Amino acid sequence: MADEKTFTLNCPLPIAPQKQVLLAHGGGGKLMHDLLERYVVPAFRNPQLEARHDGAVFRVGGARLAFTTDSYVVRPLFFPGGDIGSLAVNGTVNDLAMCGARPLYLSAGLILEEGLSLDVLQRVLDSMRICAEAAKVQVVTGDTKVVDQGKGDGIFINTAGVGVVEHGLEIGPARVRPGDVILLSSDVGRHGIAIMAVREGLEFESTIQSDCAPVAAPVLALVAAGIEIHCLRDLTRGGLATALIEIAETAGAHIRVEEARIAVEENVCGACEILGFDPLYLANEGRFIAIVPAACAERALGILREYEVSSQAATIGHVAESPARLVTLQTRLGTERVLDMLSGEQLPRIC
Amino acid sequence: MKFVDEFRDAEAARQLAAAIHGAVTRPWTIMEVCGGQTHAIMKFGIDELLPAPVTLLHGPGCPVCVTPVELIDKATQIAALREVIFCSFGDMLRVPGTRCDLFHVKANGGDVRVVYSPLDAVKLARQNPAKEVVFFAVGFETTAPANAMAVYQARQTGLENFSLLVSHVLVPPALEAVLNSPDNRVQAFLAAGHVCTVMGYEEYHPLASKYHVPIVVTGFEPLDILQGVHMCVRQLEQGRAEVENQYSRSVRPQGNVPARELMSKVFRVVHRKWRGFGEIPRSGLGLAEGYRQYDAEIKFGVEAYSAAEDSECVSGEVLRGIRKPTECSAFGLRCTPEHPLGATMVSNEGTCAAYYRYRRTRVELASSSPLQPVCRRDTSLACPERSGGTADGDASGTPPEPFRSRP
Amino acid sequence: MAREIRGSKITQLPNYEITKFLRSWEVDSAYMCLAVPGKILSIAGADELRIGRVSFGGIVKEVNLACVPEAKIGDYVIVHVGFALSVVDEAEAQITLDYLRQIGELQALESGGGEAPDEVEKPS
């Protein structure tokens, strides 16, 4: 398997235009968006893709279904708080939850590298099983392929998921309105730092655990309580800031958030200070934002706080009246700053 | 975090800002010369707190920005060699050389590694005896002690497969170059707190009195910077021109004596070329006589190489604060963060990069087609080149005159 | 004041001020100037191989302490690229935080007694 030390901490800006795929194209930042806009979306043009959401929602017969897929290439395979298996299940479960769907079934495509230890495979599968049970989904179909040694990287996993949408809400950036409130489910930055810690052999006084977890339960509780959810987004690659920027750009809205209200754990802060990362851009695997009308905010927070994964839920900002299409952050000093999309990324192979 | 959070206190920041507002009676132009301070100003929005008459200029405080293009070329040539493990700080990877940058060398198979510390590069050399490990020693005086220690340890342990590609620069000659520039507008300086932690601040007294400019050694947290500005403003309003130490919790007048002794063993002062400035005499560090076998330029035979800079890039004038990025003909068109012509656009702390990002809220594009960058480099040279782009074909014009500081 | 450049209007930013909205930036892993204070948890070795385990808000890194021979366990050091550059002087830190109060006292002196203003002394 590849030597982890050869991975750069920072994937620098390449020069456009490109003739090759670069690591930064997988970063969730501007380059990845360019790749999607120039190559992928035009290849398959249809209204579902135009929605640019985490999953596709459509009608089949009398039911509304949600459908999503994700591939997992995380390095290292095992990290504090999770592994590639738990990411593979929870990541796709969470994408379905972001459509407001109840996750039902997953497929699992495994690409194994010749030479992978079968013990490692067993651990990953066990992890997937445990997470699937916890998330109340079943892995009902899948595929297994093996590639030559040196052509894989241990194991890659793709999971696709199907869920059922049991409400009439349209959830997506298009529904965001001025006056809406942004709710953040909990503290940010843990997954990115947990991965970094293993890759770089960093030591912590108390180990930082990835926040990898399913978030379907609190989201479904919001739906069941009749909260008029306008938009949901989980905060994976590119972190909270990227999620907000994407929504602001698609919705044509000006989102304002307050730095003081965004929870970051102290040792995540310390790691960010010393390594020069911005926690707002770090990947999370069990965190989401919900954009709801102001009138529902208090009630929504109450519901979220009943679940462990969102027990620290808080209001972090709102959608402003102005016509600008951007995200601004009010710093602790009271000054205001625009949050920009990263060109490359901070950490490759984060999920 | 202790010694960090207290210096970010919002209420104290407001009080300091109010004190500055109260002290100012006329316009003043203050320059800070440390990328870390530029960074903090941008991150916390500090100059939003300052009164309009106070102008903050960002000087040549980013070693990434001032590394001359030929050093990058030497780096890419060495990094492309099969037997070399080339180690560098992350931000150096995308600084453009004449033909390409280190990132492209890496993408094309070169063993280029980002390290956190030069001491990690020494470890790599020990672990890989069959390889030649080269560390790109870029930085101001802050990084010099660590680089000196790396070479010193290599020497003590008889390590032979380790070398430094040195591009160290010194702050005081840069300040003098700025002050000597005919269009100079700078009236006071915030000196770099960590540079002075190493070097002390005694060498700034002659500058303060010769050019009659207040120089305040300043830290990096919002309260430090606001206090540094306040101290400058007070001096300016009172007509004084002295060296003061705001960052007294870390800086002593004589600096760090063991570090300076180590540096004087391993390094010697040399003339250095600054990207966009030309050569400034006695403005850099090179390896001393006894350590020449650790000099990568000698080891790999690239000492004699020289290169002309892109003539369209005016980062030198930007670094001196006499031209704004928006006055550059390439800005935003041929030169963007994704396709930088000069280091001020590459580095996060670079002026042009900072401008580019703010500018996006103000630009109304009359045409709907995206601005296409044009690759102006000669793509016929055999070197891991940038992929794509079309050579303009036109000559790059005469290189800029090397800048000579006035005696 | 706006200027046409190839069909786009760029609003001239006055006098290099960074006004109103400040952009975020991409952060790199090791700034040239990034130096952070951390607390020494333990020390081993001697001279140029004197290494400390230093905690930065919970993250522990090995730091070379060769140039801060006076540093002891419990001290805070300013660390840059794995190398300690100085021991943080707590008393001076407090003086810095009290700067405004000192200034206030000075201004009271100036307005009250009409004496020539003193510089704020920063003991070295």
Side-chain angles (χ1 to χ4, degrees), chain C residues 21-34:
Chain C
F21 293 131
L22 296 168
R23 289 277 182 175
S24 183
W25 66 99
E26 292 136 287
V27 287
D28 282 314
S29 59
Y31 299 114
M32 301 302 155
C33 284
L34 183 64

Side-chain angles (χ1 to χ4, degrees), chain C residues 21-90:
Chain C
F21 293 131
L22 296 168
R23 289 277 182 175
S24 183
W25 66 99
E26 292 136 287
V27 287
D28 282 314
S29 59
Y31 299 114
M32 301 302 155
C33 284
L34 183 64
V36 189
K39 184 175 180 179
I40 300 179
L41 301 177
S42 63
I43 301 178
D47 303 322
E48 65 262 19
L49 296 174
R50 193 158 170 263
I51 308 280
R53 285 180 65 249
V54 177
S55 167
F56 301 90
I59 169 174
V60 178
K61 289 194 79 79
E62 278 196 350
V63 171
N64 186 301
L65 300 176
C67 289
V68 285
E70 72 278 19
K72 43 192 198 310
I73 294 176
D75 280 349
Y76 280 77
V77 282
I78 300 282
V79 177
H80 177 66
V81 301
F83 208 76
L85 297 179
S86 67
V87 178
V88 180
D89 186 327
E90 291 213 39

